[in-house]
């Protein structure tokens, strides 16, 4: 049976038509994230973007991950509590309109009375497990709100979110640092690693970020290098709080531009990593469909 | 001899006319921070705001602290390196136009190749030393860019800047948190202390800040309390990085709204504090004038 695999996020929708073996037959994307869809219009937008796939040979089923399953989405698919494996997720998918379209729930976890959540990343993690065969260890998904997830025996046992990407954008756009930082500059690995090392001083981001101001004030670093330095400060701060004694490699899932930075920072801490991209999403939705419709 | 004492900052100018004993005879302020003054116009603005004081009985001298001594100010007064006491600052004041007006230099220090700076706060610290008689310990000046300064035998031996106030504004105004936080709400001490305690988990601000999102998402905290919680997270993160084994009380210098928060957070760590306000600026400039013009 073919599968229409959809990653429907806040700002965009990405879709793939997969065959029974999980091979990608067709792919498309559109800037129709859930924020652009009026309430009640999700079915119409879905039909306009992938309706032809749904009417294709063998009447494919469809699985949708991401923010489309949030309160602001098509239908709410309540979070699945950790620890959670594919079977736990499968038990909590929510049917939409017909029994051929289902929304995948996100994951939740709680630390000391404070909840944490993910939506969409869980599918990428299960896809990475399927693609690599690595059923234990640390899975890291860089982005606006990065996720660090711990996997044991193929189940997500816990995770934490870090607002690293959003802080970088805030500081680079709206803070005093924005005047002397060129956030469009390409990565300078040396400046980035200086920032990673600086974050290890344990003085905290609130202090170290001001260093990106004074290094400019004293003419010690230019606007392009400062962007990489700030990125290093932020990612180094993330790593500072992590216990990196995971067995095996850390699995990085994301765009090359972001995963490269984590690879560099992890390598400096003596931690090996492997990297996966968008294919993890399709592999995850395919694995879930095999669990749901065996 | 009377003294015209001026704190000329980025967004405003505050002035006081002091008698020979340091008593305030008159005070005024204006929204004429250095960012509002075109190059070459500093003398004109000065004359319009306090020219009458300068022509008053006994031809007072004038000392100006703050950003007016920066590169973007009236005349640059290069930073004085730590350790620095009143005599070191006095040796580096810069005369302006006449020998009756002088700009006070800020302080600089360097940690592991990264400079740190203050401009204006050094005068408040020396004022607090004069007012309290406390010549050793930790002096904390909350604000957009907070300063934590170490004082030994009446000299500032080192300090660190924390962008706490600016991060609070960034997160409350421009981040995803801004949608569910009421930054105009009055302080809720219980929610604030929850944030302070949470920062002690050593998971870092990048993670803990996301908790202010999920606590709202799960309906566990309202918009007013979340503002206090976020403030607690930030101030708690500052305290986390500090060695608070100072002898004697921590001296807090700033507005009641801000110093109250540090007082609460320090008290929870078993550290006593005392608080000074704007009077520290006038006392500092007065003490400096006694060193300069004995």
């Amino acid at each position: 049976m073919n599968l229409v695999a959809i990653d429907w996020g806040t700002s965009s929708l990405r879709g793939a038509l997969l065959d029974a073996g999980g091979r990608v037959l067709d792919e498309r994307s559109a800037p129709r994230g859930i924020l652009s869809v009026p309430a009640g219009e999700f079915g119409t937008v879905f039909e306009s973007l992938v309706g032809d796939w749904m009417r294709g040979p063998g009447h494919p089923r469809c699985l949708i991950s991401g923010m489309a399953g949030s309160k602001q989405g098509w239908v709410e698919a309540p979070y699945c509590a950790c620890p959670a494996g594919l079977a736990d997720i499968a038990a909590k998918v929510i049917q939409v309109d017909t029994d051929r379209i289902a929304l995948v729930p996100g994951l939740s976890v709680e630390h000391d009375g404070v909840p944490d959540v993910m939506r969409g990343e869980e599918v990428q993690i299960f896809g990475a497990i399927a693609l690599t065969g690595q059923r234990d260890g640390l899975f890291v998904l860089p982005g606006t709100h990065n996720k660090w997830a711990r996997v044991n025996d193929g189940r997500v046992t816990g995770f934490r979110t870090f607002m690293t990407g959003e802080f970088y954008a805030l500081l680079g756009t709206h803070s005093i640092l924005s005047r002397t930082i060129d956030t469009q500059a390409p990565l300078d690995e040396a400046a980035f690693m200086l920032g990673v090392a600086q974050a290890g001083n344990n003085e905290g981001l609130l202090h170290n970020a001001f260093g990106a101001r004074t290094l400019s004030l004293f003419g010690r670093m230019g606007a392009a290098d400062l962007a990489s330095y700030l990125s290093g400060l932020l990612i180094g701060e993330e790593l500072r709080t992590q216990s990196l004694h995971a067995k095996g490699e850390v699995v990085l899932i994301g765009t090359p531009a972001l995963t490269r930075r984590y690879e560099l920072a992890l390598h400096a801490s003596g931690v090996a990593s492997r990297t996966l991209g968008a294919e993890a999403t399709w592999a995850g939705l395919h694995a879930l469909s095999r669990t749901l419709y065996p």
Side-chain angles (χ1 to χ4, degrees), chain A residues 111-213:
Chain A
H111 301 283
D112 301 327
V114 180
D116 206 337
V117 294
M118 63 168 68
R119 266 200 196 276
E121 293 91 347
E122 72 291 338
V123 159
Q124 296 179 287
I125 293 169
F126 293 121
I129 292 171
L131 289 170
T132 64
Q134 185 173 328
R135 297 173 56 79
D136 295 274
L138 207 46
F139 289 62
V140 181
L141 298 92
T144 303
H145 296 161
N146 298 355
K147 310 295 178 184
W148 287 71
R150 177 76 55 184
V151 172
N152 287 319
D153 196 20
R155 301 176 85 204
V156 177
T157 54
F159 64 89
R160 288 190 188 270
T161 301
F162 293 81
M163 294 175 67
T164 312
E166 182 162 6
F167 271 60
Y168 181 74
L170 286 172
L171 291 168
T173 310
H174 296 291
S175 82
I176 191 174
L177 306 183
S178 66
R179 304 179 199 166
T180 50
I181 280 189
D182 176 9
T183 53
Q184 300 307 306
L187 179 67
D188 180 276
E189 293 191 0
F192 174 79
M193 289 311 301
L194 274 177
V196 171
Q198 188 66 16
N201 68 2
N202 205 29
E203 296 291 343
L205 178 62
L206 293 172
H207 170 65
N208 285 327
F210 193 67
R213 170 73 183 150

Side-chain angles (χ1 to χ4, degrees), chain A residues 207-229:
Chain A
H207 170 65
N208 285 327
F210 193 67
R213 170 73 183 150
T214 53
L215 285 169
S216 169
L217 199 61
F218 284 68
R220 305 246 185 110
M221 211 181 271
D225 286 0
L226 275 169
S228 293
Y229 179 78

Side-chain angles (χ1 to χ4, degrees), chain A residues 77-91:
Chain A
Y79 293 104
C80 181
C82 286
L86 266 182
D88 305 286
I89 296 268

